[in-house]
Amino acid sequence: MNTQSLLIALVAVQFFVHALVWAMTAHMARRWHSTAGHLALFWLCLGLGLGLFVPPWDSGSALRNLADLLIIAAAMSEHRAQALHWGHQPPLRRYAAGLALAAALIAA
């Protein structure tokens, strides 16, 4: 494993730890808030997406495309978490449509 792959793997592990911390925080507070759940999902998707880049897959391969889609899903989850934190209730359909569009573009 080269130095760049090792660095990417270590950052992915750090993201998994962030996801675990958000989930543990929600559990210790004895209530699960949508914001905490979406932030845990954000870190989990980001860690999985980044972890799929180790080893580096060829552009256009199924695992590389999945990694790209997970990183986009992570960004959408973070956006929804921030919206929920500020009291907005954006519909999930908007995010599902965005993810479907991203999947179509990645597939093309």
Side-chain angles (χ1 to χ4, degrees):
M1 183 180 289
N2 63 24
T3 306
Q4 183 179 9
S5 294
L6 181 61
L7 181 61
I8 290 171
L10 289 174
V11 171
V13 169
Q14 181 182 11
F15 290 165
F16 289 132
V17 170
H18 284 300
L20 182 62
V21 167
W22 273 104
M24 289 172 52
T25 300
H27 178 71
M28 289 183 342
R30 305 240 185 259
R31 58 184 174 197
W32 185 266
H33 293 288
S34 291
T35 303
H38 280 81
L39 287 171
L41 182 63
F42 161 70
W43 288 110
L44 182 64
C45 286
L46 197 57
L48 285 171
L50 193 60
L52 286 175
F53 280 99
V54 180
W57 302 100
D58 292 333
S59 183
S61 68
L63 287 175
R64 175 72 180 265
N65 291 345
L66 178 61
D68 292 338
L69 196 57
L70 281 168
I71 291 170
I72 292 168
M76 289 181 170
S77 181
E78 182 184 31
H79 181 271
R80 183 159 168 79
Q82 290 176 358
L84 290 170
H85 175 73
W86 293 107
H88 302 288
Q89 292 288 334
L92 286 174
R93 288 182 187 157
R94 185 181 309 165
Y95 296 100
L99 202 55
L101 177 63
L105 290 172
I106 289 171

